[in-house]
Amino acid sequence: MASLKPGDRGRITALLGEPSVRHRLLELGLTRGTIVEMIRVAPLGDPIELQLRGYRLSVRKAEAGVVLLESA
């Protein structure tokens, strides 16, 4: 997910990484099958802002890097 550009969309297929990070991302609504859209990247490249489930969410690039997507 970290490689998306503003306006790109994808469907979450898997979460990788440490269990504590996966758990946090699941709590934030980043569950398998959810469609996410990249809204913007902060001026220094981190964090990134996403649109999902009708709300916007900012996550660090490192966290976004453990989310695998397919084209939506």
Side-chain angles (χ1 to χ4, degrees):
M1 184 163 68
S3 63
L4 291 176
K5 294 181 174 49
D8 288 350
R9 297 175 56 147
R11 181 185 315 272
I12 296 173
T13 58
L15 299 176
L16 306 175
E18 297 291 321
S20 61
V21 174
R22 287 196 317 262
H23 185 74
R24 180 176 186 280
L25 294 173
L26 288 168
E27 288 178 335
L28 293 172
L30 295 167
T31 58
R32 195 168 75 170
T34 301
I35 295 176
V36 297
E37 178 180 356
M38 169 68 84
I39 301 299
R40 67 179 141 218
V41 180
L44 295 178
D46 201 18
I48 60 174
E49 185 176 13
L50 307 166
Q51 172 89 32
L52 64 142
R53 302 175 184 259
Y55 63 91
R56 291 188 176 189
L57 173 69
S58 292
V59 296
R60 295 183 178 140
K61 266 195 158 176
E63 294 170 331
V66 302
V67 180
L68 300 182
L69 301 176
E70 65 183 11
S71 296

